[in-house]
Amino acid sequence: PKGIANNYQFQAVLGKLYWFGGSTAKSDEIWNKTIEDNQKNPYAYEFLSDLQLSMQLFEKSISTLKKSRTNMNLPNMFGNKIIKIYI
C-alpha cells in the first residue's frame, strides 16, 4: 500500500527485524528516522518505546520517551511510563 514506508508502526517493526538480524546500526537508523518523521505524534513515541521495551532495550525505550519531551516541548510527557521502566 502507498505510504506504508512512512507508517511509524511499520518503521518500528522493521527496525526490530534489523536488530534481531544483527544489524543494530541499521535498526537505530530506522528508529531515528521514525522519530524524525513523527516528531509531533505521541503515539509514534509510545509505540516505538513499547516495542523497544518488549525487546528489553530499556535505555533505548527511555531515550525514545525523553525525545518526545524535547520534540513536543512537553517536559512531563510520559513521566509515569519512564518511572515504571526505571523500577
Side-chain angles (χ1 to χ4, degrees):
K2 184 178 179 182
I4 195 166
N6 292 326
N7 179 295
Y8 67 85
Q9 293 169 326
F10 173 81
Q11 289 176 322
V13 172
L14 181 62
K16 179 180 179 177
L17 293 174
Y18 273 104
W19 186 274
F20 285 131
S23 299
T24 57
K26 181 68 175 175
S27 179
D28 285 336
E29 178 185 325
I30 291 169
W31 287 338
N32 288 333
K33 176 102 170 85
T34 302
I35 295 303
E36 182 182 311
D37 291 347
N38 296 279
Q39 288 186 22
K40 302 297 181 190
N41 183 348
Y43 300 108
Y45 294 100
E46 189 165 26
F47 184 86
L48 178 55
S49 172
D50 287 346
L51 181 126
Q52 292 165 330
L53 194 55
S54 76
M55 297 167 64
Q56 297 185 352
L57 300 174
F58 303 110
E59 292 302 319
K60 286 192 180 297
S61 178
I62 290 167
S63 176
T64 295
L65 294 174
K66 285 184 174 181
K67 285 178 188 174
S68 73
R69 294 173 163 197
T70 303
N71 291 343
M72 298 181 71
N73 196 26
L74 296 168
N76 297 318
M77 187 167 202
F78 296 122
N80 289 337
K81 194 168 191 114
I82 291 170
I83 290 169
K84 287 178 184 178
I85 296 170
Y86 277 118
I87 296 174

Coordinates of all heavy atoms in Angstrom, one line a residue:
P1 N 0.8 -1.2 0.0 CA 0.0 0.0 0.0 C 0.9 1.3 0.0 O 1.9 1.3 0.6 CB -0.8 -0.1 1.3 CG -0.7 -1.5 1.7 CD 0.5 -2.1 1.1
K2 N 0.3 2.3 -0.6 CA 1.1 3.5 -0.7 C 1.2 4.1 0.7 O 0.3 4.2 1.5 CB 0.3 4.5 -1.6 CG 1.0 5.8 -1.8 CD 0.2 6.7 -2.8 CE 1.0 8.0 -2.9 NZ 0.3 8.9 -3.8
G3 N 2.4 4.6 1.0 CA 2.7 5.3 2.2 C 3.0 4.4 3.4 O 3.3 4.9 4.5
I4 N 3.1 3.1 3.1 CA 3.4 2.2 4.3 C 4.8 2.4 4.8 O 5.0 2.3 6.0 CB 3.2 0.7 3.9 CG1 3.1 -0.2 5.2 CG2 4.2 0.2 3.0 CD1 2.6 -1.5 5.0
A5 N 5.7 2.8 4.0 CA 7.1 3.0 4.4 C 7.1 4.2 5.4 O 8.1 4.3 6.2 CB 8.0 3.3 3.3
N6 N 6.2 5.1 5.4 CA 6.1 6.2 6.3 C 5.3 6.0 7.5 O 5.1 6.8 8.4 CB 5.6 7.5 5.6 CG 6.6 7.9 4.5 OD1 7.8 7.8 4.7 ND2 6.0 8.5 3.4
N7 N 4.7 4.8 7.6 CA 3.9 4.4 8.8 C 4.9 4.1 10.0 O 5.7 3.2 9.9 CB 3.1 3.2 8.4 CG 2.2 2.7 9.5 OD1 2.7 2.2 10.5 ND2 0.9 2.8 9.3
Y8 N 4.7 4.8 11.1 CA 5.6 4.6 12.2 C 5.6 3.2 12.8 O 6.6 2.7 13.2 CB 5.3 5.6 13.3 CG 4.0 5.5 14.1 CD1 3.8 4.6 15.1 CD2 2.8 6.2 13.7 CE1 2.6 4.5 15.8 CE2 1.6 6.1 14.4 CZ 1.5 5.2 15.4 OH 0.3 5.1 16.1
Q9 N 4.4 2.5 12.7 CA 4.4 1.1 13.2 C 5.2 0.2 12.3 O 6.0 -0.6 12.8 CB 3.0 0.6 13.2 CG 2.1 1.3 14.3 CD 0.7 1.1 14.2 OE1 0.1 0.9 13.1 NE2 0.0 1.1 15.3
F10 N 5.1 0.4 11.0 CA 5.9 -0.4 10.0 C 7.4 -0.1 10.3 O 8.2 -1.0 10.3 CB 5.5 0.0 8.6 CG 6.4 -0.7 7.6 CD1 6.2 -2.0 7.2 CD2 7.4 0.1 7.0 CE1 7.0 -2.6 6.2 CE2 8.2 -0.5 6.0 CZ 8.0 -1.8 5.6
Q11 N 7.7 1.2 10.4 CA 9.2 1.5 10.6 C 9.7 0.9 11.9 O 10.8 0.4 11.9 CB 9.3 3.0 10.6 CG 9.1 3.7 9.3 CD 9.2 5.2 9.4 OE1 8.7 5.8 10.4 NE2 9.8 5.9 8.4
A12 N 8.9 1.0 12.9 CA 9.4 0.5 14.2 C 9.6 -1.1 14.1 O 10.7 -1.6 14.6 CB 8.4 0.8 15.3
V13 N 8.7 -1.8 13.5 CA 8.8 -3.2 13.4 C 10.0 -3.6 12.5 O 10.7 -4.5 12.7 CB 7.5 -3.9 13.0 CG1 7.7 -5.3 12.7 CG2 6.4 -3.7 14.0
L14 N 10.2 -2.8 11.4 CA 11.3 -3.0 10.5 C 12.6 -2.9 11.3 O 13.5 -3.7 11.1 CB 11.2 -2.1 9.3 CG 12.3 -2.2 8.3 CD1 12.3 -3.6 7.6 CD2 12.2 -1.1 7.2
G15 N 12.7 -1.9 12.1 CA 13.9 -1.7 12.9 C 14.1 -2.9 13.9 O 15.3 -3.3 14.1
K16 N 13.0 -3.4 14.4 CA 13.1 -4.6 15.2 C 13.7 -5.8 14.5 O 14.6 -6.5 15.0 CB 11.8 -5.0 15.8 CG 11.7 -6.2 16.7 CD 10.3 -6.5 17.2 CE 10.2 -7.7 18.1 NZ 8.9 -7.9 18.6
L17 N 13.2 -6.0 13.3 CA 13.7 -7.1 12.4 C 15.2 -6.9 12.2 O 16.0 -7.9 12.2 CB 13.0 -7.2 11.1 CG 11.5 -7.6 11.3 CD1 10.8 -7.5 9.9 CD2 11.4 -9.0 11.8
Y18 N 15.7 -5.7 11.9 CA 17.1 -5.5 11.7 C 17.9 -5.8 12.9 O 19.0 -6.3 12.9 CB 17.4 -4.1 11.2 CG 17.3 -3.9 9.7 CD1 16.1 -3.3 9.1 CD2 18.3 -4.4 8.8 CE1 16.0 -3.1 7.7 CE2 18.2 -4.2 7.5 CZ 17.1 -3.6 6.9 OH 17.0 -3.5 5.6
W19 N 17.3 -5.4 14.1 CA 18.0 -5.6 15.4 C 18.2 -7.1 15.6 O 19.3 -7.5 15.9 CB 17.2 -5.0 16.5 CG 17.9 -5.0 17.8 CD1 17.9 -6.1 18.7 CD2 18.7 -4.0 18.4 NE1 18.7 -5.8 19.8 CE2 19.2 -4.5 19.6 CE3 19.1 -2.8 18.0 CZ2 20.0 -3.8 20.4 CZ3 19.9 -2.0 18.8 CH2 20.4 -2.5 20.0
F20 N 17.2 -7.8 15.4 CA 17.3 -9.3 15.7 C 18.1 -10.0 14.6 O 18.6 -11.1 14.8 CB 15.9 -9.9 15.8 CG 15.3 -9.7 17.1 CD1 14.0 -9.2 17.2 CD2 16.0 -9.8 18.3 CE1 13.4 -9.0 18.4 CE2 15.4 -9.6 19.6 CZ 14.1 -9.2 19.6
G21 N 18.3 -9.3 13.4 CA 19.1 -9.9 12.4 C 20.6 -9.5 12.6 O 21.4 -9.9 11.8
G22 N 20.9 -8.7 13.6 CA 22.2 -8.4 13.9 C 22.7 -7.0 13.4 O 23.8 -6.6 13.6
S23 N 21.8 -6.3 12.7 CA 22.2 -5.0 12.1 C 21.7 -3.9 13.0 O 20.7 -3.2 12.7 CB 21.6 -4.9 10.7 OG 22.0 -5.9 9.8
T24 N 22.3 -3.8 14.2 CA 21.8 -2.8 15.2 C 22.0 -1.4 14.7 O 21.2 -0.5 15.0 CB 22.5 -3.1 16.5 OG1 23.9 -3.0 16.3 CG2 22.2 -4.4 17.1
A25 N 23.0 -1.1 13.9 CA 23.2 0.3 13.4 C 22.1 0.6 12.5 O 21.6 1.8 12.5 CB 24.6 0.4 12.7
K26 N 21.7 -0.3 11.6 CA 20.6 0.0 10.7 C 19.3 0.1 11.5 O 18.4 1.0 11.1 CB 20.5 -1.2 9.7 CG 19.4 -1.0 8.6 CD 19.7 0.1 7.7 CE 18.6 0.2 6.6 NZ 18.8 1.3 5.7
S27 N 19.1 -0.7 12.5 CA 17.9 -0.6 13.3 C 17.9 0.8 14.0 O 16.8 1.4 13.9 CB 18.0 -1.7 14.4 OG 16.9 -1.6 15.2
D28 N 19.0 1.2 14.5 CA 19.0 2.6 15.1 C 18.7 3.7 14.1 O 18.0 4.6 14.4 CB 20.3 2.8 15.8 CG 20.5 2.1 17.1 OD1 19.5 1.7 17.7 OD2 21.7 1.9 17.5
E29 N 19.2 3.5 12.9 CA 18.9 4.5 11.8 C 17.4 4.5 11.5 O 16.9 5.6 11.4 CB 19.7 4.1 10.6 CG 19.5 4.9 9.4 CD 20.3 4.4 8.2 OE1 21.4 3.8 8.3 OE2 19.7 4.5 7.1
I30 N 16.8 3.4 11.4 CA 15.4 3.3 11.1 C 14.6 3.9 12.3 O 13.6 4.7 12.0 CB 14.9 1.9 10.8 CG1 15.6 1.4 9.5 CG2 13.4 1.8 10.8 CD1 15.4 0.0 9.2
W31 N 14.9 3.6 13.5 CA 14.2 4.1 14.6 C 14.4 5.6 14.8 O 13.4 6.3 15.1 CB 14.6 3.4 15.9 CG 14.1 2.0 16.0 CD1 13.0 1.5 15.4 CD2 14.6 1.0 16.8 NE1 12.8 0.2 15.7 CE2 13.8 -0.2 16.6 CE3 15.7 0.9 17.7 CZ2 14.1 -1.4 17.3 CZ3 15.9 -0.3 18.4 CH2 15.1 -1.4 18.1
N32 N 15.6 6.1 14.5 CA 15.8 7.6 14.5 C 14.9 8.3 13.4 O 14.3 9.3 13.6 CB 17.2 7.9 14.3 CG 18.0 7.6 15.6 OD1 17.5 7.6 16.7 ND2 19.3 7.3 15.4
K33 N 14.8 7.6 12.2 CA 14.0 8.2 11.2 C 12.5 8.1 11.5 O 11.8 9.1 11.2 CB 14.2 7.4 9.9 CG 13.4 7.8 8.7 CD 14.1 8.6 7.7 CE 13.4 8.8 6.4 NZ 12.4 9.9 6.5
T34 N 12.1 7.1 12.3 CA 10.7 7.0 12.7 C 10.4 8.2 13.6 O 9.3 8.8 13.4 CB 10.5 5.7 13.5 OG1 10.9 4.6 12.7 CG2 9.1 5.6 14.0
I35 N 11.3 8.6 14.5 CA 11.0 9.7 15.4 C 11.1 11.0 14.5 O 10.2 11.9 14.7 CB 12.1 9.8 16.5 CG1 11.9 8.6 17.4 CG2 12.0 11.1 17.3 CD1 10.6 8.4 18.1
E36 N 12.0 11.1 13.7 CA 12.2 12.3 12.8 C 10.9 12.5 12.0 O 10.5 13.7 11.9 CB 13.4 12.1 11.9 CG 13.7 13.3 11.0 CD 14.9 13.0 10.1 OE1 15.9 12.6 10.6 OE2 14.7 13.3 8.9
D37 N 10.4 11.5 11.5 CA 9.2 11.6 10.6 C 7.9 11.8 11.4 O 6.8 12.2 10.8 CB 9.0 10.3 9.8 CG 10.0 10.1 8.7 OD1 10.8 11.1 8.4 OD2 10.1 9.0 8.1
N38 N 7.9 11.6 12.7 CA 6.7 11.7 13.5 C 7.0 12.5 14.8 O 6.5 12.1 15.9 CB 6.3 10.3 13.9 CG 5.9 9.4 12.7 OD1 4.8 9.6 12.3 ND2 6.8 8.6 12.2
Q39 N 7.7 13.6 14.7 CA 8.1 14.4 15.9 C 6.9 14.9 16.7 O 7.1 15.0 17.9 CB 8.9 15.6 15.4 CG 10.3 15.2 14.9 CD 11.1 16.4 14.6 OE1 10.9 17.5 15.1 NE2 12.1 16.2 13.8
K40 N 5.8 15.1 16.1 CA 4.6 15.6 16.9 C 3.5 14.6 17.1 O 2.4 14.9 17.5 CB 4.1 16.8 16.2 CG 5.0 18.0 15.9 CD 5.5 18.6 17.2 CE 6.5 19.7 17.0 NZ 7.2 20.1 18.2
N41 N 3.9 13.3 17.0 CA 2.9 12.2 17.2 C 3.2 11.4 18.4 O 4.1 10.6 18.4 CB 2.9 11.3 15.9 CG 1.8 10.3 16.0 OD1 1.2 10.0 17.0 ND2 1.6 9.6 14.9
P42 N 2.5 11.7 19.5 CA 2.8 10.9 20.7 C 2.6 9.4 20.6 O 3.3 8.7 21.3 CB 1.8 11.5 21.8 CG 0.7 12.1 21.0 CD 1.4 12.6 19.7
Y43 N 1.8 9.0 19.7 CA 1.5 7.6 19.5 C 2.8 6.9 18.9 O 3.0 5.7 19.3 CB 0.3 7.3 18.7 CG -1.0 7.9 19.3 CD1 -1.6 9.0 18.7 CD2 -1.5 7.3 20.4 CE1 -2.7 9.6 19.3 CE2 -2.7 7.9 21.0 CZ -3.3 9.0 20.4 OH -4.4 9.5 21.0
A44 N 3.5 7.6 18.1 CA 4.7 7.0 17.5 C 5.7 6.8 18.6 O 6.4 5.7 18.6 CB 5.2 7.9 16.4
Y45 N 5.9 7.7 19.4 CA 6.9 7.6 20.5 C 6.5 6.4 21.4 O 7.4 5.6 21.8 CB 7.0 8.8 21.4 CG 7.6 10.0 20.7 CD1 6.7 11.0 20.2 CD2 8.9 10.2 20.5 CE1 7.2 12.1 19.5 CE2 9.5 11.3 19.9 CZ 8.6 12.3 19.4 OH 9.1 13.4 18.8
E46 N 5.3 6.3 21.8 CA 4.8 5.3 22.7 C 4.9 3.9 22.0 O 5.3 3.0 22.7 CB 3.4 5.6 23.1 CG 2.9 4.6 24.2 CD 1.7 5.1 24.9 OE1 0.9 5.8 24.3 OE2 1.5 4.7 26.1
F47 N 4.5 3.8 20.8 CA 4.6 2.5 20.1 C 6.1 2.1 20.0 O 6.4 0.9 20.3 CB 4.0 2.6 18.7 CG 4.0 1.3 17.9 CD1 2.9 0.5 18.1 CD2 5.0 0.9 17.1 CE1 2.8 -0.8 17.4 CE2 5.0 -0.3 16.4 CZ 3.9 -1.1 16.6
L48 N 6.9 3.0 19.6 CA 8.4 2.6 19.5 C 8.9 2.2 20.8 O 9.7 1.3 21.0 CB 9.1 3.7 18.8 CG 10.7 3.5 18.7 CD1 11.0 2.2 17.9 CD2 11.3 4.7 18.0
S49 N 8.6 3.0 21.8 CA 9.1 2.7 23.2 C 8.6 1.4 23.7 O 9.4 0.6 24.2 CB 8.7 3.8 24.1 OG 9.0 3.5 25.5
D50 N 7.4 1.1 23.5 CA 6.8 -0.2 23.9 C 7.5 -1.4 23.1 O 7.8 -2.4 23.7 CB 5.3 -0.3 23.7 CG 4.5 0.6 24.7 OD1 5.1 1.0 25.7 OD2 3.3 0.8 24.4
L51 N 7.8 -1.2 21.9 CA 8.4 -2.2 21.1 C 9.8 -2.4 21.7 O 10.3 -3.6 21.9 CB 8.5 -1.8 19.6 CG 9.2 -2.8 18.7 CD1 8.2 -3.1 17.6 CD2 10.5 -2.2 18.2
Q52 N 10.6 -1.3 21.9 CA 11.9 -1.5 22.5 C 11.9 -2.1 23.9 O 12.7 -2.9 24.2 CB 12.6 -0.1 22.5 CG 12.9 0.5 21.2 CD 13.2 2.0 21.2 OE1 12.7 2.7 22.0 NE2 14.0 2.4 20.2
L53 N 10.9 -1.8 24.6 CA 10.7 -2.3 26.0 C 10.5 -3.8 25.9 O 11.0 -4.6 26.6 CB 9.6 -1.7 26.7 CG 9.4 -1.9 28.2 CD1 10.7 -1.5 28.9 CD2 8.2 -1.1 28.7
S54 N 9.7 -4.3 24.9 CA 9.4 -5.7 24.7 C 10.7 -6.5 24.3 O 10.7 -7.7 24.5 CB 8.3 -5.9 23.6 OG 8.8 -5.7 22.3
M55 N 11.6 -5.7 23.8 CA 12.9 -6.3 23.4 C 13.9 -6.2 24.5 O 15.1 -6.5 24.4 CB 13.5 -5.6 22.1 CG 12.6 -5.8 20.9 SD 13.0 -4.6 19.6 CE 14.7 -5.2 19.2
Q56 N 13.5 -5.7 25.7 CA 14.3 -5.5 26.8 C 15.5 -4.4 26.6 O 16.5 -4.5 27.2 CB 14.9 -6.8 27.4 CG 13.8 -7.7 27.9 CD 14.3 -8.9 28.5 OE1 15.5 -9.2 28.6 NE2 13.4 -9.7 29.1
L57 N 15.2 -3.5 25.7 CA 16.1 -2.4 25.4 C 15.6 -1.2 26.2 O 15.1 -0.2 25.7 CB 16.1 -2.1 23.9 CG 16.5 -3.2 23.0 CD1 16.3 -2.8 21.5 CD2 17.9 -3.6 23.2
F58 N 15.9 -1.3 27.5 CA 15.3 -0.4 28.5 C 15.8 1.1 28.3 O 15.0 2.0 28.3 CB 15.6 -0.8 29.9 CG 15.1 -2.2 30.2 CD1 16.0 -3.3 30.4 CD2 13.7 -2.4 30.3 CE1 15.5 -4.5 30.7 CE2 13.2 -3.7 30.5 CZ 14.1 -4.8 30.7
E59 N 17.1 1.2 28.1 CA 17.7 2.5 27.9 C 17.2 3.2 26.6 O 16.9 4.4 26.5 CB 19.2 2.5 27.9 CG 19.8 2.2 29.3 CD 19.3 3.2 30.4 OE1 19.3 4.4 30.1 OE2 19.0 2.7 31.5
K60 N 17.0 2.4 25.5 CA 16.5 2.9 24.3 C 15.1 3.3 24.4 O 14.6 4.3 23.9 CB 16.7 1.9 23.1 CG 18.1 1.7 22.7 CD 18.1 0.9 21.4 CE 19.5 0.8 20.9 NZ 20.2 2.0 20.5
S61 N 14.3 2.5 25.2 CA 12.9 2.9 25.4 C 12.8 4.2 26.1 O 12.0 5.0 25.8 CB 12.3 1.7 26.2 OG 10.9 2.0 26.5
I62 N 13.6 4.3 27.2 CA 13.6 5.6 27.9 C 14.0 6.8 27.1 O 13.4 7.8 27.1 CB 14.4 5.5 29.2 CG1 13.8 4.5 30.2 CG2 14.7 6.8 29.8 CD1 14.7 4.0 31.3
S63 N 15.0 6.6 26.3 CA 15.5 7.6 25.4 C 14.5 8.1 24.4 O 14.3 9.2 24.1 CB 16.8 7.1 24.7 OG 17.2 8.1 23.7
T64 N 13.7 7.1 23.9 CA 12.6 7.4 22.9 C 11.6 8.3 23.6 O 11.2 9.3 23.0 CB 12.0 6.1 22.4 OG1 13.0 5.4 21.6 CG2 10.8 6.4 21.5
L65 N 11.2 7.9 24.8 CA 10.2 8.7 25.5 C 10.7 10.1 25.9 O 10.0 11.1 25.8 CB 9.8 8.0 26.8 CG 9.0 6.7 26.5 CD1 8.7 6.0 27.9 CD2 7.7 6.9 25.8
K66 N 12.0 10.2 26.2 CA 12.6 11.5 26.5 C 12.7 12.4 25.3 O 12.5 13.6 25.4 CB 14.0 11.3 27.2 CG 13.9 10.9 28.6 CD 15.2 10.8 29.3 CE 15.1 10.4 30.7 NZ 16.4 10.4 31.4
K67 N 12.9 11.8 24.1 CA 12.9 12.6 22.9 C 11.6 13.3 22.7 O 11.5 14.4 22.1 CB 13.3 11.7 21.7 CG 14.7 11.4 21.7 CD 15.0 10.5 20.5 CE 16.5 10.0 20.5 NZ 16.7 9.0 19.5
S68 N 10.5 12.6 23.1 CA 9.2 13.2 22.9 C 9.0 14.4 23.7 O 8.4 15.4 23.2 CB 8.1 12.2 23.3 OG 8.0 12.0 24.7
R69 N 9.6 14.5 24.8 CA 9.5 15.7 25.7 C 10.2 16.9 25.0 O 9.6 18.0 25.0 CB 10.2 15.4 27.0 CG 9.6 14.4 27.9 CD 10.4 14.0 29.1 NE 9.6 13.4 30.1 CZ 9.9 13.2 31.3 NH1 11.1 13.7 31.8 NH2 9.1 12.6 32.1
T70 N 11.3 16.6 24.4 CA 12.0 17.7 23.7 C 11.3 18.1 22.5 O 11.0 19.3 22.2 CB 13.5 17.3 23.4 OG1 14.1 16.9 24.6 CG2 14.2 18.4 22.7
N71 N 11.0 17.1 21.6 CA 10.4 17.4 20.3 C 9.0 18.0 20.4 O 8.6 18.8 19.5 CB 10.4 16.2 19.5 CG 11.7 15.7 19.0 OD1 12.7 16.4 19.1 ND2 11.8 14.5 18.6
M72 N 8.3 17.7 21.4 CA 6.9 18.2 21.6 C 6.8 19.3 22.6 O 5.7 19.8 22.8 CB 6.0 17.0 21.9 CG 5.9 16.0 20.8 SD 4.8 14.6 21.2 CE 3.2 15.5 21.0
N73 N 8.0 19.7 23.2 CA 8.0 20.7 24.2 C 7.0 20.5 25.3 O 6.3 21.4 25.7 CB 7.8 22.1 23.5 CG 8.2 23.2 24.4 OD1 9.1 23.1 25.2 ND2 7.6 24.4 24.2
L74 N 7.0 19.3 25.8 CA 6.2 18.9 26.9 C 7.1 18.1 27.9 O 7.3 16.9 27.9 CB 5.1 18.0 26.4 CG 4.0 18.6 25.5 CD1 3.1 17.5 24.9 CD2 3.2 19.6 26.2
P75 N 7.7 18.9 28.9 CA 8.7 18.3 29.7 C 8.2 17.2 30.7 O 9.1 16.4 31.2 CB 9.2 19.5 30.6 CG 8.2 20.6 30.4 CD 7.4 20.3 29.1
N76 N 7.0 17.0 30.9 CA 6.5 16.0 31.8 C 5.8 14.8 31.0 O 5.3 13.9 31.7 CB 5.5 16.5 32.8 CG 6.1 17.6 33.7 OD1 7.2 17.4 34.1 ND2 5.4 18.7 33.9
M77 N 5.9 14.9 29.7 CA 5.2 13.8 28.9 C 5.8 12.4 29.2 O 7.0 12.3 29.3 CB 5.4 14.1 27.4 CG 4.6 13.2 26.5 SD 4.5 13.9 24.9 CE 3.2 13.1 24.2
F78 N 5.0 11.4 29.4 CA 5.4 10.1 29.6 C 6.1 9.9 30.9 O 6.9 8.9 31.1 CB 6.2 9.5 28.5 CG 5.4 9.4 27.2 CD1 5.9 10.0 26.0 CD2 4.2 8.6 27.1 CE1 5.2 9.9 24.8 CE2 3.6 8.5 25.9 CZ 4.0 9.2 24.7
G79 N 6.0 10.8 31.9 CA 6.7 10.7 33.1 C 6.4 9.4 33.9 O 7.4 8.7 34.3
N80 N 5.2 9.0 34.0 CA 4.8 7.8 34.7 C 5.4 6.6 34.0 O 5.8 5.6 34.7 CB 3.3 7.7 34.9 CG 2.7 8.7 35.9 OD1 3.4 9.2 36.7 ND2 1.5 8.9 35.7
K81 N 5.3 6.6 32.7 CA 5.9 5.5 31.9 C 7.4 5.3 32.1 O 7.9 4.2 32.3 CB 5.5 5.6 30.5 CG 5.7 4.4 29.7 CD 5.0 4.6 28.3 CE 5.0 3.3 27.6 NZ 3.6 2.8 27.4
I82 N 8.1 6.4 32.1 CA 9.5 6.4 32.3 C 9.9 5.9 33.7 O 10.8 5.0 33.9 CB 10.1 7.8 32.1 CG1 10.0 8.2 30.6 CG2 11.6 7.9 32.6 CD1 10.4 9.6 30.3
I83 N 9.1 6.3 34.7 CA 9.4 5.9 36.1 C 9.2 4.4 36.2 O 10.0 3.6 36.8 CB 8.4 6.6 37.1 CG1 8.9 8.1 37.2 CG2 8.4 5.9 38.4 CD1 7.9 8.9 38.0
K84 N 8.1 3.8 35.5 CA 7.9 2.4 35.6 C 9.0 1.6 35.0 O 9.3 0.5 35.4 CB 6.5 2.1 34.9 CG 5.3 2.5 35.7 CD 4.0 2.2 35.0 CE 2.9 2.7 35.8 NZ 1.6 2.5 35.1
I85 N 9.6 2.1 33.9 CA 10.7 1.4 33.3 C 11.9 1.4 34.2 O 12.6 0.3 34.3 CB 11.1 2.1 31.9 CG1 9.9 2.0 30.9 CG2 12.3 1.4 31.3 CD1 10.1 2.8 29.7
Y86 N 12.2 2.5 34.9 CA 13.3 2.5 35.8 C 13.1 1.5 37.0 O 14.0 1.0 37.5 CB 13.5 3.9 36.4 CG 14.3 4.8 35.5 CD1 13.8 6.0 34.9 CD2 15.6 4.5 35.2 CE1 14.5 6.8 34.1 CE2 16.4 5.3 34.4 CZ 15.8 6.5 33.9 OH 16.6 7.3 33.0
I87 N 11.8 1.4 37.4 CA 11.5 0.5 38.5 C 11.5 -0.9 38.0 O 12.0 -1.8 38.1 CB 10.2 0.8 39.2 CG1 10.2 2.2 39.7 CG2 9.8 -0.2 40.2 CD1 8.9 2.7 40.2

